[in-house]
Amino acid sequence: MAIKNYEQTRTFSTVLIFIGIVAFTVALFLGFQERVWHAYLLSYFYFVLIALGGVFFMSIQHATNAGWSVSVRRLSEALTAYLPVACILTLPLIYGAFSLYDWLDAEKVAKDHLLVHKAPYLNLPFFLIRLGIFLGGWIFFARKLVSFSLKQDQDGDTIWTKKSVKYSVIFLLFFALSLSLFSVDLLMSLDAHWFSTIFGVYVFAGLFQSVFAALILLSAWLLKQDKEKYKTWINENHLHDMGKFLFAATVFWAYIAFSQYMLIWYANLPEETTFFLYRSKGAWAFVSISLIVFKFILPFLFLLPRWVKRNWKTMIFASCLILFMQFVDLYWLIYPHFDSYFPHFSWVEVGVFLAFFGVFVRSVFSFLQKHSPVPLKDPRMKESLSHHVTY
Amino acid sequence: MSKAAEKKNKQSIVNRFVDLLLQVKESLAPETEPVLAGIWSDEKSFLSAIKELKQKGYKKISAITPCPVHGLEDLLEIKRSWIPWVTFVFGSAGCLFGLWFTWWTSAVDWPLIIGGKPFWSLPAFIPVIFECTILLGALSSVAALFYACKIPSVDPPVLDKDLTSHKFALYFSLKDKKLSTEELEKELLAVGAEKVIQSDF
């Protein structure tokens, strides 16, 4: 598809990346090393989740033989175009890991009995191997599924649909395990003393929420490109179903977040409660409450009526809110480790975020520039085009 | 008492019981009205027939289909159901009830120290409040559905038994005196009805 204003979008993303790199370097020179790497981890993780969510969405659709989602599937494939870039962006993070994780500091480990105990898992070589396996696996499955879909655009052979099912099922198994361990490695081990067995599911709930918000925004963008052409492909029935998924993900997130909180609160074990103690003191309490209100209560009530889920404007608002709150959620997970007394947020975080946003936009839109934004010869295309949600 | 009298007495008890059952049945019988129905066996011609009839100015068309037919609710101008509102209102009421009830039982009526927690500790009660919300919301929805669909109704009239497997029908109430039966019959056959039935429904 020839994207309108593609050159401007590229220039725009270049400017964002430039601003981000400047902010990053200036902050490094000013000596905010620890803070910069926290900001880096925050934005890195945020966009990895959205890109990985793209693979998750399409493999769920393949595995369940879903017909309605065929016309929006290519947009989720576009999201995955960021994954190889994320792989490159992991290299600076490995360098930054030394100022993020206590368990990489040999002196601190030597003094800390618990870290010694956890060393067989939390050590540099094994950490790198794991990161390699996870990112490599995700990119492998993403490329396979996307290439099947693109080949089908050419020849319309149903064999690609059947092959996608096999790869999707294997991916989903791999995804469940790898995402949990990935979030344990990068987020939970920031405080290596603390542990929560539901943590991987919590991160997954955030992924679930943010990928549907991103898909809705991309669909709205596609309609803005050429409304006459694409309104037959993606209409309010598809929006309605994505909206229902967004609603379900919102409830699921709240359910998991509360499950984690309640068990820790009830058991009241000192090694577990630290996590919520940091987050319920001073200014952090406001961030915690804002998560409950703006990531669950407000979107829940807002997304309840049917007409809201069938209206592009209201859904764009809901998606933006949820994508913003997903950022706050990750910020809430990462930043108390940097400063447990006060939530810092200023040009460092914004700058690094802009750089990642620029990279993300660039990789997603260059994919969409190269390929058709909707699958062309999928055997279930007709089912998707005549998709209709009854009362 | 003689044997004959005993038998008679028994019979009268059985009769009274049967009478009672018949009364119940009558009270649960759905209200019917005379209708004129056209039968189709093809979904597409059925839908186009409704469109044609609407173009000719007919209103208040009702339909019976063996399966969901896409686009039918728009054509028949069926409004959205009011049941979701019942679910919402009663769900919210259940939430508030759960909130009050957990507070009253644990902090007012019979305060007990459990695990060193405060008497009224919200995190512990959220599962209970959640369940109250779901319970009341779900039960009230089912009750509202029964009310809206007039369930249970005993012995509802049947227009055509094929309507439960593969045929489609649309019908007009004949209570409306503006519609002449013969004209309507002609009209239904003209838009492709296989047969036309007049009966109470």
Side-chain angles (χ1 to χ4, degrees):
Chain A
M1 180 182 72
I3 297 174
K4 277 184 209 165
N5 307 330
Y6 181 62
E7 284 311 311
Q8 282 97 313
T9 315
R10 272 177 80 88
T11 326
F12 175 66
S13 67
T14 316
V15 172
L16 288 183
I17 295 168
F18 181 72
I19 294 172
I21 291 174
V22 168
F24 184 74
T25 350
V26 168
L28 269 186
F29 271 104
L30 287 176
F32 297 155
Q33 203 167 3
E34 213 187 320
R35 179 164 176 189
V36 169
W37 288 117
H38 278 90
Y40 192 93
L41 176 65
L42 170 62
S43 297
Y44 169 84
F45 208 89
Y46 182 73
F47 286 106
V48 162
L49 281 192
I50 295 177
L52 188 58
V55 199
F56 168 70
F57 175 77
M58 61 183 179
S59 54
I60 283 280
Q61 305 308 319
H62 283 306
T64 55
N65 282 332
W68 72 270
S69 56
V70 170
S71 58
V72 292
R73 200 186 66 218
R74 187 56 54 79
L75 297 175
S76 78
E77 287 165 10
L79 290 177
T80 67
Y82 171 74
L83 274 179
V85 190
C87 195
I88 298 165
L89 289 171
T90 314
L91 299 175
L93 185 69
I94 292 168
Y95 173 76
F98 289 95
S99 34
L100 282 172
Y101 305 109
D102 286 347
W103 49 268
L104 279 174
D105 192 334
E107 274 181 32
K108 279 184 186 164
V109 174
K111 279 184 219 159
D112 197 322
H113 182 69
L114 217 71
L115 290 187
V116 174
H117 190 69
K118 289 183 179 183
Y121 185 80
L122 291 176
N123 59 64
L124 188 63
F126 195 24
F127 174 66
L128 295 181
I129 291 169
R130 282 194 309 262
L131 276 186
I133 293 173
F134 299 157
L135 286 162
W138 296 339
I139 291 167
F140 169 76
F141 282 107
R143 295 204 92 153
K144 276 285 175 198
L145 290 172
V146 172
S147 74
F148 292 162
S149 171
L150 290 176
K151 276 177 195 159
Q152 199 169 46
D153 269 12
Q154 304 294 326
D155 57 17
D157 200 338
T158 50
I159 187 91
W160 304 120
T161 306
K162 286 171 189 158
K163 271 192 171 182
S164 304
V165 176
K166 281 181 198 159
Y167 279 88
S168 300
V169 171
I170 302 168
F171 169 76
L172 284 172
L173 289 174
F174 175 69
F175 170 78
L177 200 63
S178 59
L179 180 70
S180 305
L181 295 179
F182 185 70
S183 51
V184 167
D185 282 353
L186 289 185
L187 299 186
M188 204 165 98
S189 75
L190 280 169
D191 181 357
H193 285 190
W194 181 73
F195 56 87
S196 162
T197 45
I198 208 173
F199 193 76
V201 189
Y202 182 79
V203 171
F204 164 71
L207 170 146
F208 195 7
Q209 244 187 331
S210 55
V211 71
F212 281 101
L215 269 182
I216 289 166
L217 289 185
L218 260 186
S219 312
W221 166 84
L222 186 65
L223 281 179
K224 220 184 165 196
Q225 285 284 308
D226 190 345
K227 187 149 194 204
E228 284 311 305
K229 188 175 172 189
Y230 292 112
K231 75 180 180 190
T232 47
W233 299 82
I234 300 175
N235 55 37
E236 57 272 18
N237 291 304
H238 302 97
L239 179 68
H240 192 174
D241 271 4
M242 286 190 281
K244 283 190 264 185
F245 260 123
L246 188 66
F247 178 77
T250 304
V251 178
F252 181 66
W253 175 83
Y255 180 77
I256 296 300
F258 178 71
S259 299
Q260 173 168 281
Y261 175 74
M262 189 186 75
L263 289 186
I264 291 175
W265 170 86
Y266 233 137
N268 214 7
L269 301 174
E271 62 264 43
E272 284 182 354
T273 46
T274 46
F275 181 84
F276 284 110
L277 275 184
Y278 290 145
R279 285 161 182 79
S280 57
K281 273 190 298 191
W284 279 113
F286 288 101
V287 183
S288 306
I289 290 165
S290 82
L291 274 179
I292 301 169
V293 175
F294 294 109
K295 210 180 182 211
F296 171 61
I297 296 175
L298 186 67
F300 175 81
L301 292 174
F302 184 73
L303 288 172
L304 264 181
R306 183 179 197 260
W307 68 268
V308 171
K309 295 193 278 278
R310 293 176 73 85
N311 182 314
W312 286 98
K313 277 180 190 159
T314 48
M315 285 312 285
I316 289 171
F317 168 74
S319 305
C320 289
L321 175 73
I322 279 173
L323 280 176
F324 177 72
M325 287 321 289
Q326 165 68 7
F327 190 77
V328 176
D329 189 11
L330 287 177
Y331 177 79
W332 178 81
L333 285 177
I334 294 169
Y335 263 65
H337 176 252
F338 169 65
D339 186 340
S340 57
Y341 294 101
F342 190 75
H344 295 276
F345 192 83
S346 68
W347 58 273
V348 184
E349 287 76 24
V350 175
V352 174
F353 175 79
L354 287 182
F356 274 91
F357 184 61
V359 175
F360 184 75
V361 163
R362 214 183 164 92
S363 44
V364 169
F365 285 97
S366 66
F367 179 91
L368 288 170
Q369 173 79 6
K370 265 187 262 166
H371 308 291
S372 157
V374 282
L376 295 175
K377 291 177 182 168
D378 194 287
R380 293 196 212 93
M381 199 65 226
K382 195 168 175 289
E383 187 187 340
S384 178
L385 290 184
S386 52
H387 179 51
H388 179 237
V389 184
T390 43
Y391 296 160
Chain B
M1 218 191 302
S2 69
K3 271 192 177 175
E6 214 171 81
K7 207 177 177 186
K8 202 180 172 187
N9 196 19
K10 243 187 194 173
Q11 251 178 0
S12 77
I13 288 174
V14 171
N15 282 346
R16 270 158 70 189
F17 185 64
V18 170
D19 278 350
L20 191 72
L21 276 184
L22 284 174
Q23 267 176 20
V24 169
K25 184 190 159 182
E26 215 160 89
S27 70
L28 286 177
E31 279 177 33
T32 56
E33 54 187 13
V35 298
L36 194 71
I39 312 272
W40 279 260
S41 55
D42 171 36
E43 189 179 320
K44 272 186 186 164
S45 53
F46 170 67
L47 281 177
S48 63
I50 298 177
K51 273 177 210 159
E52 275 179 55
L53 285 172
K54 275 184 80 179
Q55 272 173 3
K56 284 179 183 166
Y58 285 97
K59 283 170 194 166
K60 291 184 186 169
I61 311 174
S62 312
I64 303 172
T65 60
C67 55
V69 177
H70 285 294
L72 190 63
E73 65 272 74
D74 289 334
L75 274 178
L76 297 181
E77 289 162 25
I78 297 171
K79 280 184 204 149
R80 278 207 78 203
S81 161
W82 44 268
I83 294 176
W85 285 103
V86 176
T87 317
F88 180 72
V89 169
F90 277 84
S92 310
C95 182
L96 291 176
F97 168 76
L99 199 65
W100 170 80
F101 194 59
T102 47
W103 165 77
W104 182 74
T105 48
S106 319
V108 179
D109 190 51
W110 201 272
L112 283 175
I113 296 173
I114 297 168
K117 301 277 192 265
F119 290 130
W120 196 62
S121 27
L122 194 58
F125 299 142
I126 281 187
V128 181
I129 296 169
F130 173 75
E131 294 299 343
C132 284
T133 312
I134 301 298
L135 182 71
L136 219 62
L139 287 180
S140 66
S141 307
V142 174
L145 176 80
F146 272 48
Y147 177 75
C149 299
K150 294 175 187 134
I151 299 173
S153 81
V154 175
D155 248 4
V158 176
L159 271 182
D160 187 333
K161 65 177 172 28
D162 289 343
L163 292 179
T164 56
S165 69
H166 61 281
K167 292 201 174 171
F168 305 83
L170 55 87
Y171 63 90
F172 292 89
S173 164
L174 291 177
K175 264 189 182 170
D176 195 348
K177 298 246 167 83
K178 278 180 209 160
L179 298 171
S180 106
T181 315
E182 284 144 33
E183 215 173 281
L184 201 59
E185 191 171 343
K186 269 184 204 163
E187 204 76 90
L188 282 172
L189 290 169
V191 293
E194 276 175 11
K195 58 176 177 179
V196 177
I197 303 170
Q198 186 177 355
S199 93
D200 276 351
F201 186 67

